[in-house]
Amino acid sequence: MQEIILVKYGEMALKGLNKRTFEDILVKNIKRRIKSLGKTEITRAQSTICITPADKFYDTEEAVDRLKKVFGIAALCRAAVCEKDFEDIKRVSLEYLEDALSCASTFKVTAKRADKSFPMKSPEICRELGGVLLSRFHNLSVDVNNPEVTVTVEIRDTKAYVHGENIKGAGGLPVGTSGHAMLLLSGGIDSPVAGYMLAKRGVHISAIHYVSPPYTSERARLKVEQLCEKLTPYCGSIAFFCVPFTEIQEAIKNNCPEEFFTIIMRRLMMEIAQRISDREKCMALITGESVGQVASQTMNAIACTDAVCRMPVFRPLIGMDKTEIVEIARKIDTFDTSVLPYEDCCTVFTPRHPKVRPLLADVEAAQNSFDFSELVEKAVNETELKIFNLDL
Ligand code: ATP
Ligand code: MG
């Protein structure tokens, strides 16, 4: 008996997008993600991608685990291959679903007949196969509304498939179908979640992080690199840019009024992120800001930050509560890393009384008391790049 993986991407996701490009990118992402597990043949038909392992020792379970994090997949399942012949469908179902059905008390059969030339219609397949399973497994009764096991028979072009469990996929759009953006990634809880959310919408993510040694430690940087690693199963490869920010922060401290430290720092972060984005052909910035969370995230402060932005800034968490953000951080397994207690450059030289409602004119005047252009240039030039890629 041969086992394969069926991947469903659902027509809804295709609306307004070029279907062919969407599929090509999804197949490419799937291939990269499971390449290291061994040879497979990948075919596609009727909004389903079929992954057939080349040998029977293939680790299907691990492949499914990996594919659960690939965006653009609505659902997936492991399935057994049958000939397009009802006798074979019966034989394979009894063998393949034995474990699942002998432990369950209720089930139902559904059938999908993509090949309309198959002699039995769907209701007939359900009825007949249901009868066979009932007479073999005396523990079972039929429940069409809330069955413990749903046995699905799919009659397709050349083969039929039987499966017993539908696994929910990560949803969203395949990474790479929605352009390229730069995530401002701190070591906190929020920004990794923001990156995950845009990757889910098909955006290819690069990340930028600002460090201020010796005020911030090497371990703080390693923590952010670990966050990149945790994001790669969802995002694919991530180009990680690490910007030396110490001199800029010292210049702010020595030259600007204390109440504007944070807001000026954030404007300079945006400036540097845009310079590197231009070079990397990123079309937008992403941050983990949420309205009102801290002084630099009031509407006034955000307006002052946005005033230096030439490209769109995506803030997917803007209307979320911390508890909702934490829930996602736990789900994507970044939370435990994010709460490790290492300092971020944002916490260096934090003003005692930050301006909660800064006015743009005041911020600009405060920032103009020093010419940061040379330091910005230097920081961009000294930025280090590291590539994170699970699939190499
Ligand atoms: P987070 O949990 O993402 O750190 P936060 O609630 O701590 O967010 P801030 O520290 O004010 O909020 O940062 C707001 C946003 O600015 C972050 O979500 C992130 O996008 C960006 N940011 C902050 N510090 C850094 C940094 N050192 N490097 C890169 N981006 C940063
Ligand atoms: Mg932070």
Side-chain angles (χ1 to χ4, degrees):
M1 191 176 48
Q2 186 180 24
E3 191 178 41
I4 54 146
I5 302 170
L6 293 175
V7 170
K8 315 268 179 172
Y9 46 84
E11 289 296 329
M12 286 309 290
L14 304 181
K15 275 196 185 142
L17 273 174
N18 180 321
K19 179 171 173 173
R20 187 88 208 164
T21 314
F22 176 98
E23 285 180 351
D24 287 348
I25 294 179
L26 179 57
V27 168
K28 196 178 88 202
N29 292 351
I30 288 175
K31 279 187 180 159
R32 283 183 43 193
R33 203 61 198 89
I34 59 174
K35 194 170 142 205
S36 62
L37 293 176
K39 264 209 160 73
T40 54
E41 191 200 0
I42 299 187
T43 55
R44 59 194 190 199
Q46 295 131 349
S47 298
T48 301
I49 294 167
C50 178
I51 304 170
T52 310
D55 69 70
K56 60 175 188 261
F57 302 108
Y58 190 78
D59 191 347
T60 312
E61 195 165 329
E62 171 66 19
V64 167
D65 266 352
R66 291 188 187 184
L67 294 175
K68 275 200 266 187
K69 296 181 177 171
V70 173
F71 291 125
I73 297 178
L76 62 164
C77 59
R78 298 164 70 157
V81 182
C82 329
E83 295 309 320
K84 283 166 70 174
D85 163 62
F86 190 65
E87 285 308 311
D88 201 49
I89 293 171
K90 260 172 26 187
R91 182 187 63 80
V92 170
S93 304
L94 287 168
E95 184 187 336
Y96 185 60
L97 301 171
E98 164 135 37
D99 286 351
L101 292 177
S102 49
C103 309
S105 54
T106 56
F107 83 115
K108 76 169 177 184
V109 181
T110 63
K112 292 178 193 158
R113 207 169 49 118
D115 172 10
K116 301 289 182 209
S117 72
F118 189 75
M120 294 165 78
K121 292 202 167 122
S122 299
E124 195 183 346
I125 299 174
C126 296
R127 207 168 48 237
E128 293 290 323
L129 186 60
V132 170
L133 298 176
L134 276 174
S135 60
R136 162 68 183 79
F137 298 98
H138 298 294
N139 50 309
L140 284 182
S141 61
V142 175
D143 180 346
V144 288
N145 297 318
N146 193 20
E148 277 170 50
V149 178
T150 301
V151 175
T152 305
V153 179
E154 300 192 28
I155 314 283
R156 290 180 168 269
D157 286 352
T158 56
K159 298 279 180 193
Y161 304 104
V162 173
H163 50 91
E165 189 196 10
N166 233 358
I167 302 156
K168 199 165 177 276
L173 302 174
V175 168
T177 55
S178 301
H180 186 188
M182 183 67 76
L183 167 68
L184 279 82
L185 182 62
S186 72
I189 295 169
D190 305 332
S191 41
V193 173
Y196 161 85
M197 287 177 70
L198 265 301
K200 184 169 183 176
R201 296 309 303 158
V203 176
H204 170 206
I205 306 283
S206 289
I208 188 165
H209 176 66
Y210 305 83
V211 290
S212 295
Y215 306 105
T216 63
S217 67
E218 182 62 16
R219 284 190 306 183
R221 173 188 170 151
L222 292 177
K223 165 182 165 179
V224 180
E225 294 193 359
Q226 198 179 335
L227 288 171
C228 279
E229 278 169 20
K230 300 238 167 174
L231 287 174
T232 48
Y234 299 99
C235 298
S237 69
I238 298 177
F240 173 71
F241 298 90
C242 193
V243 185
F245 206 52
T246 315
E247 286 181 78
I248 289 178
Q249 283 197 286
E250 285 174 339
I252 298 172
K253 179 173 187 285
N254 296 333
N255 298 284
C256 303
E258 182 180 329
E259 57 186 351
F260 294 120
F261 280 1
T262 309
I263 199 83
I264 292 172
M265 179 191 75
R266 298 200 54 77
R267 283 160 58 93
L268 291 164
M269 281 183 170
M270 292 301 202
E271 180 55 36
I272 293 171
Q274 291 179 101
R275 299 267 187 114
I276 296 180
S277 293
D278 287 341
R279 210 179 64 197
E280 298 298 311
K281 304 204 165 36
C282 293
M283 284 177 60
L285 303 178
I286 304 166
T287 76
E289 288 159 300
S290 156
V291 144
Q293 206 185 70
V294 287
S296 63
Q297 296 177 23
T298 62
M299 211 182 287
N300 290 60
I302 290 176
C304 292
T305 310
D306 265 0
V308 297
C309 294
R310 306 178 292 275
M311 46 181 72
V313 182
F314 295 143
R315 298 179 169 93
L317 313 185
I318 199 72
M320 288 171 74
D321 289 348
K322 198 74 181 184
T323 48
E324 294 170 308
I325 300 169
V326 164
E327 200 177 304
I328 302 177
R330 286 192 196 278
K331 185 178 91 179
I332 63 174
D333 191 32
T334 52
F335 183 79
D336 291 343
T337 306
S338 290
V339 295
L340 294 173
Y342 306 128
E343 64 298 315
D344 182 64
C345 70
C346 280
T347 51
V348 176
F349 312 135
T350 315
R352 278 157 296 179
H353 303 290
K355 260 258 185 291
V356 179
R357 291 195 186 78
L359 295 176
L360 182 57
D362 296 341
V363 173
E364 284 176 343
Q367 188 171 340
N368 284 339
S369 54
F370 185 80
D371 181 2
F372 287 94
S373 52
E374 253 175 51
L375 288 181
V376 165
E377 192 69 32
K378 186 162 177 248
V380 169
N381 290 336
E382 291 175 0
T383 292
E384 288 173 24
L385 168 63
K386 187 165 175 179
I387 306 285
F388 287 87
N389 193 343
L390 270 184
D391 312 310
L392 287 179

